[in-house]
């Protein structure tokens, strides 16, 4: 499905880590030194440099399960948020401008809702193949255009329901443990969400080890596109900055389909969703920030980008490759 993933340069990472540890000032940087050494490894350079052509890619989805009342928002809110992004406004554009990052909206799956995963498959084989190809194509386009860091984002009512269903199925985690409050739902709505995820997981119980089939059954076309985007970015040796629960679960799936992907990932922030924390731990990542944000759209990751760039700038200055 994906080509093999070459890992970032471990030798560079070790050298940068040792050089910073040998410096009094370098030791004072704390976790920024580890971030800088990861940046250097991804760049294959002994002196890390800030990312100058980062790109946020927000993939919009439309989920049939949203009609079950699993969110604090009505299903129609997805269209409103997508239109906001198209107009260049909203949290993601604000954060992108602050981070000096450009943003691309992928709205191919924003109009027609996918199947309601509690009672039917999210998509058929043809739509699954289309979504997989789209995510792969976007990654190739971006890398070929010179993008040096990809920041996947998501937008869509019901996204955390899909994320919990995917996470619960693949890890055999009980629905009540995998599900959080998402958009800020009440206890009554939480019970509805638990029931929807439980039913989706029940449908997929007989093929939980078949990742593509699980994706077709209980994810969404936009989720598949995100999985492909992340996996293909790793194949193309381009680092990925991960935001919230939806993207984190997609990253976990990408690691399953393209082993080694996780080495190209850095977690931007941690949301309150239980499946988000579990995915970050499974991928052996430490979030740059702990903001408890559930905004989506890649917003939390975009807020972490200046910290990552500052880590590279500080380490570069200390290592003598850049002006401090």
């Amino acid at each position: 499905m994906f080509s093999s993933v070459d890992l970032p340069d471990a030798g560079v990472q070790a050298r940068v880590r040792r050089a910073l540890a040998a410096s009094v000032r370098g030791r004072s940087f704390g976790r920024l030194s580890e971030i800088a050494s990861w940046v250097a490894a991804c760049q294959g350079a002994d002196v890390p440099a800030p990312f100058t052509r980062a790109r946020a890619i927000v993939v919009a989805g439309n989920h049939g399960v949203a009609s079950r009342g699993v969110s604090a928002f009505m299903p129609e809110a997805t269209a409103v948020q997508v239109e906001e992004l198209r107009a260049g406004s909203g949290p993601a554009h604000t954060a992108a401008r602050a981070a000096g990052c450009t943003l691309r909206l992928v709205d191919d799956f924003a109009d027609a809702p996918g199947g309601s995963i509690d009672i039917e498959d999210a998509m058929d084989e043809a739509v699954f193949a289309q979504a997989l190809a789209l995510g792969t194509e976007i990654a190739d386009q971006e890398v070929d255009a010179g993008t040096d860091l990809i920041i996947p984002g998501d937008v869509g009512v019901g996204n955390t329901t899909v994320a919990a269903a995917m996470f619960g199925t693949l890890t055999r985690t009980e629905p009540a443990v995998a599900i959080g409050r998402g958009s800020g739902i009440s206890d009554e709505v939480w019970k509805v969400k638990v029931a929807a995820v439980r039913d989706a997981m029940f449908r997929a119980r007989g093929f939980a080890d078949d990742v593509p089939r699980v994706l077709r059954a209980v994810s969404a076309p936009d989720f598949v596109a995100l999985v492909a985007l992340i996996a293909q970015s790793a194949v193309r040796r381009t680092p990925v900055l991960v935001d919230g629960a939806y993207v984190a679960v997609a990253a976990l799936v990408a690691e399953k389909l393209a082993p080694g992907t996780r080495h190209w990932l850095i977690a931007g922030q941690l949301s309150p969703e239980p499946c988000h924390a579990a995915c970050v731990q499974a991928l052996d990542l430490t979030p740059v920030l702990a903001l408890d944000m559930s905004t989506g759209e890649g917003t939390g990751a975009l807020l972490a980008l200046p910290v990552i760039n500052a880590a590279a700038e500080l380490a570069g200055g200390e290592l003598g490759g850049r002006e401090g």
Side-chain angles (χ1 to χ4, degrees):
M1 188 173 291
F2 295 99
S3 301
S4 60
V5 176
D6 295 327
L7 303 187
D9 194 322
V12 166
Q13 188 166 16
R15 287 195 296 274
V16 171
R17 188 185 290 122
R18 284 196 303 268
L20 291 172
S23 158
V24 174
R25 182 177 289 168
R27 290 196 297 273
S28 78
F29 294 157
R31 281 193 53 226
L32 293 180
S33 292
E34 190 59 37
I35 293 170
S37 65
W38 173 82
V39 172
C42 292
Q43 295 171 344
D46 283 302
V47 177
F51 296 107
T52 59
R53 299 194 65 178
R55 179 83 144 161
I57 301 171
V58 180
V59 184
N62 192 329
H63 311 303
V65 74
S67 65
R68 302 296 190 219
V70 296
S71 172
F73 295 104
M74 297 297 290
E76 295 78 15
T78 296
V80 175
Q81 291 173 313
V82 169
E83 190 54 41
E84 188 177 57
L85 287 166
R86 285 174 182 151
S89 59
H93 278 288
T94 299
R97 285 191 290 269
C101 177
T102 58
L103 187 148
R104 174 178 180 177
L105 172 65
V106 179
D107 56 4
D108 298 53
F109 306 112
D111 295 329
S116 186
I117 59 174
D118 57 333
I119 60 170
E120 60 185 337
D121 284 354
M123 70 204 87
D124 59 21
E125 288 273 6
V127 174
F128 174 75
Q130 177 192 355
L132 204 64
L134 178 63
T136 303
E137 179 184 13
I138 291 169
D140 287 336
Q141 288 174 350
E142 293 295 336
V143 175
D144 290 343
T147 298
D148 58 4
L149 177 71
I150 288 177
I151 307 172
D154 64 281
V155 60
V157 176
N159 274 8
T160 58
T161 301
V162 172
M166 280 298 302
F167 175 78
T169 300
L170 294 176
T171 63
R172 294 170 173 80
T173 301
E174 288 294 323
V177 177
I179 295 170
R181 296 287 174 169
S183 52
I185 57 178
S186 66
D187 289 345
E188 290 306 310
V189 176
W190 185 83
K191 292 175 185 177
V192 173
K193 187 175 180 178
V194 169
V197 171
R198 178 200 64 209
D199 291 347
M201 289 176 58
F202 184 78
R203 292 183 51 254
R205 70 195 184 284
F207 49 87
D209 293 324
D210 186 341
V211 177
R213 190 172 176 190
V214 172
L215 283 167
R216 293 194 300 272
V218 299
S219 73
D222 62 299
F223 184 88
V224 174
L226 282 168
V227 170
L229 171 64
I230 295 167
Q232 185 64 11
S233 296
V235 169
R236 296 293 306 272
R237 301 181 60 82
T238 301
V240 177
L241 175 55
V242 177
D243 182 34
Y246 202 67
V247 174
V249 178
L252 184 67
V253 177
E255 170 64 22
K256 290 180 178 294
L257 295 179
T261 293
R262 67 182 183 88
H263 296 283
W264 292 95
L265 308 179
I266 187 167
Q269 63 105 19
L270 193 62
S271 76
E273 289 298 302
C275 65
H276 187 185
C279 283
V280 167
Q281 184 175 17
L283 292 166
D284 196 24
L285 304 176
T286 302
V288 175
L289 305 173
L291 300 175
D292 290 337
M293 287 184 67
S294 54
T295 308
E297 302 181 9
T299 307
L302 284 162
L303 294 175
L305 177 56
V307 177
I308 296 168
N309 278 341
E313 193 82 42
L314 286 166
E318 183 61 20
L319 296 172
R322 301 179 64 85
E323 295 182 2

